[in-house]
Amino acid sequence: MNNTDLTLVMKALSDVTRLKIIEMVSEGELCACKILESFNITQPTLSYHMKILCDCGLVDSRRDGAWIRYNLNKQTLELVSSYFNRLKTQSYEFKIECLTCE
Amino acid sequence: MNNTDLTLVMKALSDVTRLKIIEMVSEGELCACKILESFNITQPTLSYHMKILCDCGLVDSRRDGAWIRYNLNKQTLELVSSYFNRLKTQSYEFKIECLTCE
DNA sequence: AAAACATATTGACATTTATCTATATGACGC
DNA sequence: GCGTCATATAGATAAATGTCAATATGTTTT
């Protein structure tokens, strides 16, 4: 996962509505109509948010009759999770100071 | 860490420049002048980005003479990391389908 | 085939964001 | 105190973002 892809994921998560959607979907598959009930937004706005979540790979969608069912993409989540774990382990307790700055 | 705080962190990471800064700082403390060398942006623009990274708690700053030295805040990173770990474990292999949608 | 339901797309608009130039503030050395 | 270096703030601006109303597309039911 390169920086551009990661930026897309972060951008997707940088909106309160989408963050809540991710949390809802993390508990199990949901259709748009169910998600919509939890928010004070219009259907087109939800559709816009779902597109962003799907495009960055965080959420998968599948048609089931008239409904579109959404669920979390665990693989992408794993990549994001491991990115933060790597950052954590990379940073050490004792700082390597930049003394010269020249 | 509530959703508003988390959104701030994600917003901070949703910019390629800031994502690179985080990676640089994760390897050790750096002053603004050193960071600036790696980018094609002006000094005020970097200052703007550093403020966003500090305000959300991802980066700490300390004055050292004329310089401001930046380093990663491991505590915040730990909170973000554990958030994603929680999301991962919350989502199960077998989907709890929403069959009614009524 | 028409009506009803679920979701997506389009176009408009206000707000936010990233960037710059110009200027201010703070620290150090002379 | 003055000049110089490091960083921050202010004001302006173009581009991106989140939202809506209106409309289109796709699916099911009658």
Side-chain angles (χ1 to χ4, degrees), chain A residues 3 7 11 14 23 26-27 29 31 62 69 74 78 81 83 85 88 90-91 96-98 101, chain B residues 3 7 11 14 23 26-27 31 62 69 74 78 81 83 85 88 90-91 96-98 101:
Chain A
N3 270 8
T7 303
K11 215 180 272 286
S14 71
E23 284 168 17
S26 81
E27 285 170 16
E29 194 173 56
C31 58
R62 64 182 186 91
R69 306 203 183 271
K74 294 192 72 176
E78 177 57 46
S81 180
Y83 174 80
N85 284 330
K88 253 196 325 184
Q90 222 164 43
S91 108
I96 302 134
E97 305 202 8
C98 136
C101 278
Chain B
N3 271 7
T7 303
K11 217 180 270 287
S14 71
E23 285 168 15
S26 82
E27 285 170 17
C31 58
R62 64 183 187 90
R69 305 203 184 270
K74 293 191 73 174
E78 177 57 46
S81 179
Y83 173 80
N85 284 330
K88 253 196 322 185
Q90 223 165 41
S91 107
I96 301 135
E97 303 202 8
C98 135
C101 277

Side-chain angles (χ1 to χ4, degrees), chain A residues 24-90:
Chain A
M24 291 173 69
V25 173
S26 81
E27 285 170 16
E29 194 173 56
L30 283 173
C31 58
C33 53
K34 271 284 167 199
I35 301 172
L36 189 57
E37 288 173 9
S38 300
F39 298 98
N40 258 333
I41 55 174
T42 61
Q43 178 270 319
T45 298
L46 178 64
S47 184
Y48 162 80
H49 286 309
M50 296 317 295
K51 183 165 166 48
I52 287 172
L53 289 170
C54 289
D55 283 357
C56 76
L58 267 177
V59 168
D60 290 328
S61 70
R62 64 182 186 91
R63 182 170 279 283
D64 177 16
W67 299 284
I68 307 280
R69 306 203 183 271
Y70 296 99
N71 52 70
L72 208 58
N73 184 315
K74 294 192 72 176
Q75 212 176 348
T76 303
L77 201 62
E78 177 57 46
L79 287 172
V80 177
S81 180
S82 62
Y83 174 80
F84 282 107
N85 284 330
R86 184 169 63 79
L87 272 189
K88 253 196 325 184
T89 52
Q90 222 164 43

